[in-house]
Amino acid sequence: MARQAKGDAVREPALIVLEDGTVFRGHAYGARGRALGEVVFSTGMTGYQETFTDPSYHRQIIVMTAPHIGNTGVNMEDPESTQIWAAGIVVRDPARRASNWRATGTLDEELVNQKVVGISDVDTRALTLHLRDRGVMRAGIFSGGALPAGAENKNPAAVEVLVDIVRAEPSMAGANLAREVTTSETYTVEPEGEPLATVVAVDLGIKARTPSRLAQRGARVIVVPQSVTFAQIEALNPDGVFFSNGPGDPEASEAEVELLRQVLDAGYPFFGICFGNQLLGRALGYGTYKLEYGHRGVNQPVLDRATGKVEITAHNHGFAVDAPTTEASLAPFNNGQYGKVEVSHIGLNDGVVEGLKCLDIPAFSVQYHPEAAAGPHDADYLFDRFIKLMGAN
């Protein structure tokens, strides 16, 4: 039986309601009220603070499959951005107290402070299996004043009201969200040691650890907003250009795709991760599609086809590139303007494209998160590859 979180005098009822009418009962956790978004599940057993502060989770409700969440509290060092971006949080057994020497507070308190609505004591295994069977969908968490009378007992009329609210929420398909999470102004992360290269990083929802990983290797990283123009990038005289992770549907990001084509046309070495991988795919002329339930967590096996090694990697994506995986193909855009492309990495769970390598221009990308915050460091070498591609060593 789930235990009462420390400081909760009364266990207030809460519901998570899915657009297909499925309802799970639980108790209010974090802020009280209403949270709406696409409900997804993350299989990571650690790194919840990094997960919740990843801008790629904008407008998504995260179901944590690990049963115990909040054990190490929260601190000032682990966030990947300045706020929690997840629309809502679903956990099974929240920690009664934080127990870690770095902790500056509890997760429950932080959710309250940032007005993030959560729900605890949910059968997250059953919810995850439901999403695997039916696919991710819109959902809502309701507690406090947002919970109609009788809803906690699944009164049909009350539940119908909540389902209607959920179904009125916009779908993730077709959503252009990078502009909602990008930095408002340009900033620079200086290199550690001797400067070797200058990288312009286009912030589509960038995680703090990414420019840090490049800076550790001697790159001066200039992080620019999503609205940056190609002329502004050129004015910074970069040795390479990076496109970050981020939320939303790549098919709706026409401006970003056009910007990336200008980068490729100019011959700048390019590296993209996650959303940046999808945008490279579209810039090359390949399609993208929405996955049934996506990849989210820090334990996803990926095959590096060049070496034959299997990497355990960190993921957070609901869309993927549709490109031939059996052999190198001519990039479809403009009758093969960008030459041949091979799928460099492939997901071993479902065969999804996890990386692209251009054979005739200096560009590559991966679908996962080599900065590994949180997660394994198997793919850390990709930052070294980018430094080498820019001719810095």
Side-chain angles (χ1 to χ4, degrees):
M1 181 176 178
R3 297 170 177 172
Q4 178 177 333
K6 183 180 179 182
D8 283 352
V10 179
R11 292 165 61 82
E12 301 176 43
L15 296 179
I16 177 166
V17 179
L18 278 55
E19 69 173 283
D20 67 357
T22 304
V23 179
F24 288 84
R25 289 196 193 96
H27 295 101
Y29 183 60
R32 275 55 171 170
R34 180 175 76 180
L36 298 170
E38 180 182 62
V39 60
V40 301
F41 60 89
S42 173
T43 58
M45 296 183 68
T46 186
Y48 57 82
Q49 191 173 358
E50 294 95 329
T51 296
F52 299 158
T53 55
D54 179 351
S56 296
Y57 280 112
H58 178 45
R59 270 186 46 187
Q60 291 182 318
I61 295 171
I62 308 175
V63 180
M64 301 299 292
T65 61
H68 302 288
I69 299 296
N71 299 33
T72 55
V74 296
N75 59 63
M76 302 299 291
E77 300 173 27
D78 291 344
E80 286 299 311
S81 64
T82 58
Q83 69 179 80
I84 293 175
W85 282 101
I89 307 297
V90 184
V91 302
R92 176 179 174 180
D93 191 3
R96 290 179 293 162
R97 61 181 63 86
S99 180
N100 185 273
W101 65 275
R102 295 194 304 148
T104 56
T106 69
L107 176 58
D108 188 16
E109 292 167 343
E110 189 63 20
L111 294 174
V112 171
N113 291 341
Q114 297 200 35
K115 298 180 174 58
V116 178
V117 175
I119 183 172
S120 67
D121 306 309
V122 171
D123 186 346
T124 51
R125 179 179 173 82
L127 176 51
T128 298
L129 290 173
H130 185 80
L131 296 175
R132 280 180 59 91
D133 289 341
R134 305 290 182 87
V136 297
M137 61 188 80
R138 292 166 295 181
I141 301 173
F142 302 90
S143 63
L147 200 62
E152 68 271 22
N153 298 317
K154 296 188 178 181
N155 175 278
V159 169
E160 185 178 357
V161 169
L162 299 182
V163 172
D164 287 343
I165 292 173
V166 168
R167 290 176 177 168
E169 179 72 2
S171 171
M172 189 60 70
N176 189 343
L177 302 179
R179 67 188 69 175
E180 299 178 14
V181 300
T182 190
T183 181
S184 59
E185 57 186 28
T186 298
Y187 63 92
T188 301
V189 179
E190 295 294 346
E192 298 180 14
E194 181 184 354
L196 298 178
T198 297
V199 174
V200 169
V202 180
D203 179 5
L204 307 170
I206 200 167
K207 295 170 70 177
R209 209 65 54 91
T210 304
S212 174
R213 288 284 191 263
L214 288 167
Q216 288 170 1
R217 290 160 170 78
R220 181 173 183 259
V221 185
I222 306 172
V223 183
V224 297
Q226 166 269 346
S227 59
V228 69
T229 65
F230 179 67
Q232 290 170 327
I233 289 177
E234 277 197 308
L236 296 171
N237 194 29
D239 298 296
V241 177
F242 171 84
F243 272 32
S244 79
N245 60 293
D249 185 345
E251 191 171 349
S253 302
E254 295 180 3
E256 291 86 348
V257 169
E258 180 55 35
L259 175 65
L260 179 46
R261 284 178 179 151
Q262 291 177 284
V263 169
L264 300 179
D265 291 344
Y268 288 112
F270 172 81
F271 178 29
I273 65 170
C274 200
F275 198 55
N277 174 70
Q278 296 160 21
L279 294 180
L280 177 60
R282 295 200 67 85
L284 296 171
Y286 299 105
T288 50
Y289 63 99
K290 197 173 192 306
L291 295 167
E292 195 70 19
Y293 47 81
H295 302 166
R296 297 172 181 89
V298 296
N299 48 8
Q300 307 280 339
V302 167
L303 173 67
D304 182 343
R305 303 179 82 179
T307 64
K309 292 182 179 179
V310 176
E311 303 168 5
I312 303 302
T313 58
H315 288 227
N316 174 15
H317 66 107
F319 294 85
V321 176
D322 185 10
T325 59
T326 55
E327 59 185 3
S329 60
L330 190 66
F333 178 72
N334 199 22
N335 297 316
Q337 175 179 329
Y338 296 120
K340 286 193 171 183
V341 179
E342 67 179 12
V343 172
S344 58
H345 298 74
I346 194 163
L348 292 179
N349 285 333
D350 52 12
V352 166
V353 172
E354 296 290 352
L356 298 171
K357 181 182 179 182
C358 295
L359 303 181
D360 298 309
I361 59 173
F364 73 100
S365 60
V366 291
Q367 183 57 65
Y368 48 93
H369 287 259
E371 83 288 339
H377 296 271
D378 293 22
D380 211 38
Y381 68 91
L382 291 166
F383 294 110
D384 298 308
R385 180 177 294 177
F386 187 39
I387 296 293
K388 185 176 181 179
L389 187 66
M390 292 185 289
N393 63 6

